[in-house]
Amino acid sequence: MKNRIPFVILFIYFLNLVPVQSQSCPELDSIPELKGSVCFTAKAPLNYKAGDTSKIELFIRKFPAVQERKGSIWLIPGGPGESGASMYPLIDQFSKLFPNLDIFIPDHRGTGYSSKLCPQEEAVDSPDGMALVNDEWGSCFNYMYTNLDYVKSFTITNAAKDLSLLINTYSGSGERYIYGVSYGTQLVLRLLQLETVAFDAVLLDSLVPHQEDVAYDLSHRSLVTNDVGLSLLQDLDQRNSNEESLKTQLKAILERAKTDTAFGAQLPKQDLTILLGMMLDLPTVRNTIPEIIKGLQDDNFDPLQQATQQITSFYTDYGAAYPSATNSIPLTQVITASENNLRPEMTKAEVALESEELLFKSPLPNLIAENSMPTYTRDTYFGKTPSQLPPTLVINGTLDPKTHIDGAERHYKLLAEKNPSVSFVRVQNAPHFIALFAPHVFDKVVTEFVNKGAIKNQTVTEQSLLID
């Protein structure tokens, strides 16, 4: 408690300093799930340092409790370039799961309607909305390199301090919970390191590996994706008596694509191994991989084309109704290069060489190699874990091609060393983002956890994710 007193004084100071205002909500009348929400914009410090008076704006959307209010829950999206809009499609689910809680969804600094790294180019009313297009890339780069102090303030720690400020300002009385998914789990854990906010429970969906886990950082994403893809093929082989394994069949197809010009011309322009890696994100598409392999062996490209269309439709349609849903590539690159790439010296050529023999790949290692964005210096919170945690639920899929189950479990064990109130639940065959892709088991497990305060470590099954 003595250690918390300076933080309390500091945040009382900030509450007096930072005006908070209600505003009309964007898309309130045009998007059904946003009806009834209330929006706020808060002025927050650019840097949480004494004497620094620079400010940024943070956008928050609140969905009032649908039954008698008993507290609040904060939904922290992934990214780091994702805005709160990535959580809007799940509002109905969370409102039913937590009917007595106000639901708050913030836009991280650098995303959505909060202040951006490139304020003009990433504005909602710029030529292609918040996405960067054409010569906006050049002017965005120029702005970033002529405003380095500004850019270097968009750190994970400052984003965590933003959350602390917002949660202490808006939550009100009663119970208090927080949910984070993917990068959101990293941000929530950074927030908990600050020890400035009290929660009744923490929910971590698709926990990212520990920052210093060299086997599972973002530069290894293709290796993670390939491992999950091979595990899937092995599971499928065990359920089907094929004379030749799916792995052998797929490897032959990829070799043929390199040497058979006519065959290769019928394939999508996108690298087939990257398409296969993307299929692992979507269970309905993932389960058609045997059919795709069989089709390609017979020069039938229809199953592959259908799968490609499904992938395109999913990523195009998810969040498409929200103008603020566009990922901020500049923010993603800055944070990734500064904190989440443990092999920043790798070249694109080295990435290509390392992944040459993989059957499933991610585009991410190539995208983050040879970074040209500004970076900031890692602070004292990097690679650390919170010294104390409230009751915490970690829930991960066993076939997650982004957050490998082994990396998540290793991180969980580090958290549990000091905190016996941490529970770990595996969801059999689930990909990334359990709340979205395994909603029934997510709701069941979370309900049990919240009611009991802790549950035993276990593996659960979502019927829709069974592999035939």
Side-chain angles (χ1 to χ4, degrees), residues 67-342:
Q67 296 180 14
E68 181 184 359
R69 183 192 177 280
K70 295 183 180 179
S72 62
I73 182 169
W74 289 74
L75 308 186
I76 310 304
E82 289 183 15
S83 71
S86 65
M87 298 304 304
Y88 295 164
L90 302 184
I91 281 301
D92 184 58
Q93 177 183 350
F94 274 91
S95 292
K96 290 176 181 177
L97 186 57
F98 297 102
N100 302 107
L101 302 182
D102 292 334
I103 299 173
F104 291 92
I105 303 180
D107 287 347
H108 306 310
R109 61 167 60 198
T111 73
Y113 293 116
S114 292
S115 293
K116 300 295 190 56
L117 278 173
C118 297
Q120 181 175 334
E121 294 81 2
E122 293 186 284
V124 70
D125 57 356
S126 64
D128 198 37
M130 295 183 181
L132 295 178
V133 294
N134 303 324
D135 58 357
E136 285 185 330
W137 284 98
S139 59
C140 176
F141 268 61
N142 182 65
Y143 181 86
M144 292 173 71
Y145 274 101
T146 53
N147 294 274
L148 286 175
D149 289 342
Y150 175 77
V151 172
K152 292 180 180 182
S153 299
F154 283 70
T155 67
I156 297 177
T157 297
N158 277 340
K161 291 179 179 180
D162 291 342
L163 284 181
S164 182
L165 177 61
L166 296 176
I167 292 168
N168 284 325
T169 302
Y170 287 97
S171 293
S173 61
E175 301 167 3
R176 188 182 292 179
Y177 301 89
I178 191 166
Y179 162 91
V181 59
S182 193
Y183 163 76
T185 66
Q186 185 178 64
L187 183 53
V188 169
L189 290 173
R190 185 67 60 92
L191 167 65
L192 294 171
Q193 283 192 63
L194 302 178
E195 297 186 346
T196 55
V197 186
F199 294 105
D200 290 274
V202 174
L203 310 172
L204 302 177
D205 181 342
S206 304
L207 176 65
V208 298
H210 185 266
Q211 277 194 308
E212 293 184 318
D213 191 332
V214 295
Y216 295 114
D217 78 301
L218 295 184
S219 73
H220 289 87
R221 176 62 62 81
S222 281
L223 299 175
V224 168
T225 300
N226 187 65
D227 186 72
V228 171
L230 294 180
S231 295
L232 172 68
L233 296 184
Q234 186 174 22
D235 286 348
L236 290 166
D237 277 331
Q238 290 174 353
R239 288 163 174 76
N240 300 285
S241 55
N242 299 313
E243 292 184 2
E244 190 175 40
S245 72
L246 288 169
K247 176 182 176 181
T248 301
Q249 295 175 55
L250 179 55
K251 189 172 183 179
I253 289 169
L254 294 173
E255 288 298 322
R256 182 186 175 192
K258 296 176 184 178
T259 58
D260 187 333
T261 305
F263 178 75
Q266 296 295 315
L267 297 172
K269 292 182 179 179
Q270 176 68 281
D271 186 330
L272 182 55
T273 57
I274 289 179
L275 280 175
L276 289 164
M278 294 174 70
M279 291 178 196
L280 300 177
D281 290 325
L282 307 177
T284 55
V285 180
R286 176 187 73 185
N287 294 344
T288 67
I289 289 178
E291 182 184 355
I292 292 169
I293 291 174
K294 184 179 185 306
L296 292 177
Q297 285 179 321
D298 298 334
D299 289 347
N300 177 9
F301 299 89
D302 289 343
L304 175 60
Q305 290 172 352
Q306 291 171 9
T308 303
Q309 289 171 359
Q310 285 181 273
I311 293 170
T312 302
S313 295
F314 176 82
Y315 286 107
T316 300
D317 296 343
Y318 189 85
Y322 318 117
S324 62
T326 302
N327 283 9
S328 172
I329 294 177
L331 181 67
T332 300
Q333 290 280 59
V334 167
I335 289 180
T336 297
S338 300
E339 298 203 48
N340 291 330
N341 180 3
L342 297 182

Side-chain angles (χ1 to χ4, degrees), residues 10 13-14 45-54 153 158 161:
L10 179 63
Y13 168 76
F14 278 134
L46 173 64
N47 278 298
Y48 289 77
K49 298 177 181 178
D52 190 336
T53 59
S54 301
S153 299
N158 277 340
K161 291 179 179 180

Side-chain angles (χ1 to χ4, degrees), residues 351-373:
V351 169
L353 182 63
E354 181 177 77
S355 62
E356 187 174 10
E357 301 300 321
L358 303 183
L359 306 187
F360 299 83
K361 298 178 188 176
S362 165
L364 189 58
N366 184 66
L367 292 173
I368 66 176
E370 301 178 12
N371 173 63
S372 59
M373 299 280 187

